Amino acid sequence: MTDRSIAIPDAAADKRRLILDAAVRVFARSGYHGARVGDIAEEAGVAHGLLYHYFSSKEEVLATVFRENWRALLETLHRVEADDEPADEKLRGVTKVILRSWRNDPDLVRVMVREVARSPHLQAQVDEVREVFLVLQRIVEEGQAKGVFRRDLDARLASWIIYGGLEEILTGWVLGQLPDGDDEVARAERTILDVVCGGLVVR
Amino acid sequence: MTDRSIAIPDAAADKRRLILDAAVRVFARSGYHGARVGDIAEEAGVAHGLLYHYFSSKEEVLATVFRENWRALLETLHRVEADDEPADEKLRGVTKVILRSWRNDPDLVRVMVREVARSPHLQAQVDEVREVFLVLQRIVEEGQAKGVFRRDLDARLASWIIYGGLEEILTGWVLGQLPDGDDEVARAERTILDVVCGGLVVR
Amino acid sequence: MTDRSIAIPDAAADKRRLILDAAVRVFARSGYHGARVGDIAEEAGVAHGLLYHYFSSKEEVLATVFRENWRALLETLHRVEADDEPADEKLRGVTKVILRSWRNDPDLVRVMVREVARSPHLQAQVDEVREVFLVLQRIVEEGQAKGVFRRDLDARLASWIIYGGLEEILTGWVLGQLPDGDDEVARAERTILDVVCGGLVVR
Amino acid sequence: MTDRSIAIPDAAADKRRLILDAAVRVFARSGYHGARVGDIAEEAGVAHGLLYHYFSSKEEVLATVFRENWRALLETLHRVEADDEPADEKLRGVTKVILRSWRNDPDLVRVMVREVARSPHLQAQVDEVREVFLVLQRIVEEGQAKGVFRRDLDARLASWIIYGGLEEILTGWVLGQLPDGDDEVARAERTILDVVCGGLVVR
DNA sequence: GATGAATGAGATTTCATTCAT
DNA sequence: AATGAATGAAATCTCATTCAT
């Protein structure tokens, strides 16, 4: 085989990546404030000074973790939005993407939910965060336009409510308060769509 | 002699109370980590040493802020729960209580949303937090038992979803991302009930 | 005796003073950059944190050392300037004040000569430094006006030259390059006045 | 093939020279402590690692700057000293050499005056510095022997005073406190010789 | 109760220097 | 010779907490 990057993955593993991955684990374990720069470096197996070779500060490490992963999330959501499907199906897609991230990378979700979502850090990234709400809002509006969703609802508020429900379930898992497991994720998917689309009330 | 607390209210003004109120403002402004004990004392107009006369640590100040106010919230919610009303009306009551807290005391909401809700501090108070979910869950279950709400939904998950929606709207106000004002609070109330009870989908 | 400040001087010794005095010794010994904040605190017999109770930074300690002592020097020089004496006698007064400071407080002179005089720190205090030159310049100008000193000389440049001669002699003592002792100070006084007033050249 | 150093001068440009010249500029701009090795390398247009190929440390760079230039100064002064001229003319020569260095290479003078002259670095080079005083001292002594200069003065102290006057004028220019320009340099030359040789006092 | 001087553990950050490539 | 990623010692400064008054 010719591709050496596969043959010797670790040699090629760039330290910046190592540091970012370590940071996710350490932030997940200790929280942003509880995490010492030295802990991250140790977890990454590098000298702590190297962290400052790649990032200007501990906060920039967190910001980078957020930025890179949020961007990936946004891309996925944009693909879902672009799908040729009815609005309720798109909502299912968004729900899947967000809820399944928990099983996929629990540490990352831990960090995103606890350190970024409502925290005072990274308020600069407000625009990036807002875009998730906008995706949801556009889906709701599309549903309203197509007559799938009720038109008497404020689409913006609805998007915040939906996102809140999703994030709260992630939070339940993060805090160990909601039962975990693939089945539970599937059940949560169903439930949120049932509640949000169908409503609690018996028809 | 008559009640001095009326005669000289300010002199009698409990310094402990002063400190707690100041703490809310400072935590709201700077976040828990950004708030220095000296800032709180200064805001309260007392020497910072005095804080340690009433509280064992800065964290205990936050814990006390949380405890006292959360307890008040719980009492209110318990009263709503005990009302002799159908489940959907109780849901409306809970929604009102929670959303109106924003207009009532924005700084307090800021602190509760940002520093307590999902943060690593105060995990000890998990039981108190859980009780809010349980109130919601019991209301949902009651609705299911009475045939008002659909029975095919997981009541626990539903309660998390509802709470998430409520908290996210508070967050929107806290972050200045959702429009503020009495009308907006009323609209938010309506919307969350419409979404959660009626569902998005056209019947 | 009633004055307790004399009875218990050390109890009254305020820590700020202790820190400043220690700083002079440590700066003299190690230079500003070589001096660690911890060294100063240790020399003063206090915790290093206390230094930040009184000063905002290590640099402010140096600035304060400079400011307080330079101000004292200026006051003395102003008194000399105000004396009712001929210009050449005033020059003798200035010379005495400056050169005798060496015997008086060698550590302080060390710090002033090495860390302040031409260093990049404390450029903010330029005005205070300039005043010494101005005192000299005014004395020279007064001498010129009274016909004691030659009028064909630039008084400003002359003041810089005189001050340079004085400071260089201090430097010689600081660096251990010029012989030290009361006699030597007296000889230096005589020499600088001989050179500056009388000139090298035989008449 | 012809001399490549002419054909491709820049390629041949000694990196060591590049680094030294850059160091003078950076030391002049930021001071020795404020100058980072990386700054010097950047100013020189080379990687900072290369600096350690030519010098053992940052301090050695400063020492080299000092050594090479001081040596050049000494050679010039020695030539002046060896001239077949009366002592006062030799003094004029020394004055010219020292004061004109300012217009010639202000950055270098800045570094020499601020970082070397009285600083704790490079105390090893004390002998080299002393030689300048010795040149002056020998000129003064020669003048005394020849009957041109007064014999009742301590020649060593006189040499320190003269050097101090010269250096202080350089300092005035370095600090931007004395007016700059060719005319001013000429005036400074005249003034220092007038003061030192003729004295302030009217005869 | 009230004050604020005093403490000191601890954290981030800097940057000269090394060394594999 | 040349590069710049990597190291890690070291230093300043912060701030929660204590305690004498």
Side-chain angles (χ1 to χ4, degrees):
Chain A
M1 196 182 273
T2 52
D3 187 352
R4 295 187 62 84
S5 76
I6 288 173
I8 315 172
D10 279 80
D14 92 271
K15 302 280 173 85
R16 186 176 173 282
R17 181 86 268 138
L18 242 42
I19 290 169
L20 283 175
D21 292 346
V24 169
R25 292 193 297 276
V26 177
F27 287 150
R29 188 197 311 145
S30 317
Y32 175 74
H33 281 102
R36 283 163 299 184
V37 169
D39 295 339
I40 298 172
E42 194 186 11
E43 176 85 22
V46 303
H48 70 272
L50 189 58
L51 192 145
Y52 291 91
H53 191 75
Y54 292 109
F55 308 96
S56 65
S57 67
K58 177 178 148 184
E59 177 155 0
E60 220 219 49
V61 175
L62 178 60
T64 304
V65 165
F66 164 75
R67 203 182 321 115
E68 295 193 353
N69 290 289
W70 198 262
R71 205 159 278 173
L73 171 68
L74 273 182
E75 278 170 27
T76 312
L77 293 184
H78 283 146
R79 267 199 301 279
V80 169
E81 191 188 355
D83 274 354
D84 187 22
E85 304 227 41
D88 55 347
E89 275 310 303
K90 286 183 181 177
L91 223 47
R92 177 181 313 281
V94 170
T95 297
K96 271 188 187 172
V97 167
I98 290 179
L99 294 189
R100 291 187 184 180
S101 67
W102 165 247
R103 303 290 293 173
N104 210 37
D105 193 341
D107 277 344
L108 185 59
V109 170
R110 251 183 271 273
V111 174
M112 301 298 259
V113 161
R114 292 203 312 204
E115 303 302 333
V116 181
R118 315 187 167 175
S119 90
H121 321 292
L122 313 182
Q123 297 252 351
Q125 339 264 356
V126 162
D127 284 345
E128 304 249 37
V129 175
R130 180 156 36 191
E131 179 59 14
V132 168
F133 292 96
L134 291 177
V135 167
L136 276 167
Q137 186 177 337
R138 288 192 297 264
I139 292 175
V140 170
E141 286 168 344
E142 185 202 316
Q144 293 178 316
K146 294 261 177 72
V148 183
F149 289 162
R150 295 162 55 186
R151 290 196 166 106
D152 60 332
L153 292 174
D154 184 312
R156 170 142 78 149
L157 283 170
S159 72
W160 281 71
I161 292 164
I162 297 167
Y163 183 77
L166 289 166
E167 203 183 53
E168 196 72 44
I169 286 175
L170 289 178
T171 302
W173 289 328
V174 162
L175 299 181
Q177 302 267 347
L178 285 179
D180 192 4
D182 286 335
D183 289 353
E184 295 296 332
V185 173
R187 179 202 310 278
E189 261 173 56
R190 252 179 293 127
T191 306
I192 201 159
L193 289 167
D194 279 351
V195 169
V196 161
C197 292
L200 289 170
V201 174
V202 172
R203 296 141 194 266
Chain B
M1 194 181 269
T2 55
D3 187 351
R4 296 185 60 84
S5 77
I6 288 173
I8 316 172
D10 280 85
D14 195 357
K15 299 274 175 88
R16 185 175 172 284
R17 181 83 267 139
L18 242 43
I19 291 169
L20 283 174
D21 291 347
V24 169
R25 292 194 295 277
V26 177
F27 287 150
R29 189 198 309 144
S30 317
Y32 174 73
H33 279 102
R36 283 164 300 185
V37 169
D39 295 340
I40 298 172
E42 194 187 11
E43 176 85 22
V46 302
H48 66 273
L50 189 57
L51 191 144
Y52 290 90
H53 190 75
Y54 293 108
F55 307 96
S56 66
S57 68
K58 176 177 150 184
E59 177 156 358
E60 220 221 48
V61 175
L62 178 60
T64 304
V65 166
F66 165 76
R67 205 182 320 115
E68 294 192 354
N69 290 288
W70 199 261
R71 206 158 278 171
L73 172 67
L74 273 182
E75 278 170 28
T76 312
L77 293 184
H78 282 148
R79 266 199 302 281
V80 169
E81 191 188 354
D83 275 353
D84 187 21
E85 304 226 43
D88 54 347
E89 275 309 304
K90 288 183 180 176
L91 224 46
R92 176 179 317 276
V94 170
T95 297
K96 272 187 185 169
V97 168
I98 290 180
L99 293 190
R100 292 186 185 180
S101 66
W102 166 248
R103 301 292 292 175
N104 210 38
D105 193 343
D107 279 344
L108 185 60
V109 168
R110 249 183 271 273
V111 174
M112 301 299 260
V113 161
R114 294 203 311 204
E115 301 303 332
V116 182
R118 331 194 150 168
S119 89
H121 325 293
L122 312 183
Q123 297 252 351
Q125 338 264 357
V126 162
D127 285 344
E128 305 248 35
V129 176
R130 180 156 37 191
E131 179 59 15
V132 168
F133 291 97
L134 291 178
V135 167
L136 276 167
Q137 186 177 339
R138 285 193 299 265
I139 292 175
V140 171
E141 284 167 346
E142 185 201 317
Q144 292 178 317
K146 295 262 175 73
V148 182
F149 289 162
R150 294 161 56 185
R151 291 197 165 105
D152 60 331
L153 291 174
D154 183 311
R156 169 141 79 151
L157 282 170
S159 72
W160 282 72
I161 292 163
I162 297 167
Y163 182 77
L166 289 166
E167 204 183 51
E168 196 72 45
I169 286 175
L170 290 178
T171 302
W173 289 328
V174 162
L175 300 181
Q177 300 269 347
L178 284 180
D180 193 2
D182 285 334
D183 290 352
E184 294 297 331
V185 174
R187 182 204 307 279
E189 261 173 57
R190 251 180 292 126
T191 307
I192 202 161
L193 288 167
D194 279 351
V195 169
V196 161
C197 293
L200 290 170
V201 173
V202 172
R203 294 139 195 268
Chain C
M1 193 181 275
T2 51
D3 187 350
R4 297 186 61 84
S5 77
I6 289 174
I8 316 173
D10 279 81
D14 91 273
K15 302 280 173 82
R16 184 176 174 283
R17 181 83 270 136
L18 241 43
I19 290 169
L20 283 174
D21 292 346
V24 169
R25 294 194 295 279
V26 177
F27 287 150
R29 187 198 310 145
S30 317
Y32 174 74
H33 281 103
R36 284 163 298 182
V37 169
D39 294 340
I40 298 172
E42 194 186 10
E43 177 85 22
V46 301
H48 71 272
L50 189 58
L51 192 144
Y52 291 92
H53 191 74
Y54 292 110
F55 307 97
S56 65
S57 67
K58 177 178 147 184
E59 177 155 1
E60 220 221 46
V61 175
L62 178 60
T64 304
V65 164
F66 163 76
R67 205 183 318 117
E68 295 193 354
N69 290 288
W70 198 261
R71 206 158 277 173
L73 172 68
L74 273 181
E75 279 170 27
T76 311
L77 293 183
H78 283 146
R79 267 199 302 280
V80 169
E81 191 188 355
D83 275 353
D84 187 20
E85 305 227 43
D88 54 349
E89 276 309 304
K90 288 184 181 175
L91 224 46
R92 177 180 314 278
V94 170
T95 297
K96 271 187 187 170
V97 167
I98 290 178
L99 293 189
R100 291 188 185 180
S101 66
W102 165 247
R103 302 289 294 172
N104 210 38
D105 193 343
D107 277 344
L108 185 58
V109 170
R110 251 183 270 273
V111 175
M112 300 299 259
V113 162
R114 294 204 311 204
E115 302 303 332
V116 181
R118 317 188 164 176
S119 89
H121 321 293
L122 314 181
Q123 297 253 353
Q125 338 264 355
V126 163
D127 285 344
E128 304 250 36
V129 175
R130 181 156 36 189
E131 179 58 16
V132 168
F133 291 95
L134 291 177
V135 167
L136 278 166
Q137 185 176 336
R138 287 192 299 263
I139 292 174
V140 171
E141 285 167 344
E142 184 201 318
Q144 293 178 317
K146 296 260 176 71
V148 184
F149 289 162
R150 297 162 54 186
R151 290 201 166 103
D152 61 331
L153 291 175
D154 183 311
R156 170 141 80 148
L157 282 170
S159 72
W160 281 72
I161 292 164
I162 297 167
Y163 183 78
L166 289 166
E167 202 182 54
E168 195 72 43
I169 287 175
L170 290 177
T171 303
W173 290 327
V174 163
L175 299 181
Q177 301 268 347
L178 285 179
D180 192 4
D182 284 336
D183 289 354
E184 294 298 332
V185 173
R187 181 204 308 278
E189 260 172 57
R190 251 180 294 128
T191 307
I192 202 158
L193 288 166
D194 280 350
V195 169
V196 160
C197 292
L200 289 171
V201 173
V202 172
R203 295 137 194 269
Chain D
M1 196 183 269
T2 54
D3 186 350
R4 294 186 60 86
S5 77
I6 289 172
I8 315 172
D10 279 86
D14 196 357
K15 299 277 173 86
R16 185 177 173 282
R17 183 83 266 138
L18 243 41
I19 291 170
L20 283 173
D21 292 347
V24 169
R25 293 192 296 276
V26 176
F27 287 150
R29 187 198 311 145
S30 317
Y32 175 72
H33 278 103
R36 283 166 299 186
V37 170
D39 294 340
I40 299 172
E42 194 187 11
E43 176 86 22
V46 302
H48 67 271
L50 189 58
L51 191 143
Y52 290 89
H53 191 75
Y54 293 108
F55 308 95
S56 66
S57 68
K58 176 178 150 184
E59 177 154 0
E60 221 221 45
V61 175
L62 178 61
T64 304
V65 165
F66 165 75
R67 204 183 319 116
E68 295 192 354
N69 290 288
W70 199 260
R71 206 158 275 171
L73 172 68
L74 274 181
E75 278 170 27
T76 312
L77 293 183
H78 283 147
R79 266 199 302 280
V80 169
E81 190 187 355
D83 274 354
D84 188 21
E85 304 227 44
D88 55 348
E89 275 310 303
K90 288 184 180 174
L91 225 45
R92 176 179 316 277
V94 170
T95 297
K96 272 188 187 171
V97 167
I98 290 179
L99 294 189
R100 292 188 184 180
S101 65
W102 166 249
R103 302 290 293 173
N104 211 36
D105 193 342
D107 279 343
L108 185 59
V109 170
R110 249 182 271 273
V111 174
M112 301 299 258
V113 161
R114 294 203 311 202
E115 303 302 331
V116 181
R118 324 190 157 173
S119 88
H121 325 293
L122 313 181
Q123 297 253 351
Q125 339 263 353
V126 162
D127 285 345
E128 305 250 34
V129 175
R130 179 154 39 190
E131 180 58 15
V132 168
F133 292 95
L134 292 176
V135 167
L136 276 165
Q137 187 177 336
R138 286 194 298 265
I139 292 175
V140 170
E141 285 168 343
E142 184 200 318
Q144 293 177 317
K146 295 262 176 70
V148 183
F149 289 162
R150 297 161 54 184
R151 290 200 166 105
D152 61 332
L153 291 174
D154 184 311
R156 170 143 76 151
L157 282 171
S159 71
W160 281 72
I161 293 163
I162 298 167
Y163 183 76
L166 289 167
E167 203 183 52
E168 196 72 44
I169 287 175
L170 290 179
T171 302
W173 290 327
V174 163
L175 300 182
Q177 301 268 347
L178 286 179
D180 192 5
D182 284 336
D183 289 354
E184 295 297 332
V185 173
R187 180 203 308 278
E189 261 173 57
R190 254 180 290 125
T191 306
I192 201 159
L193 288 167
D194 280 350
V195 170
V196 159
C197 292
L200 289 171
V201 172
V202 173
R203 294 136 193 273

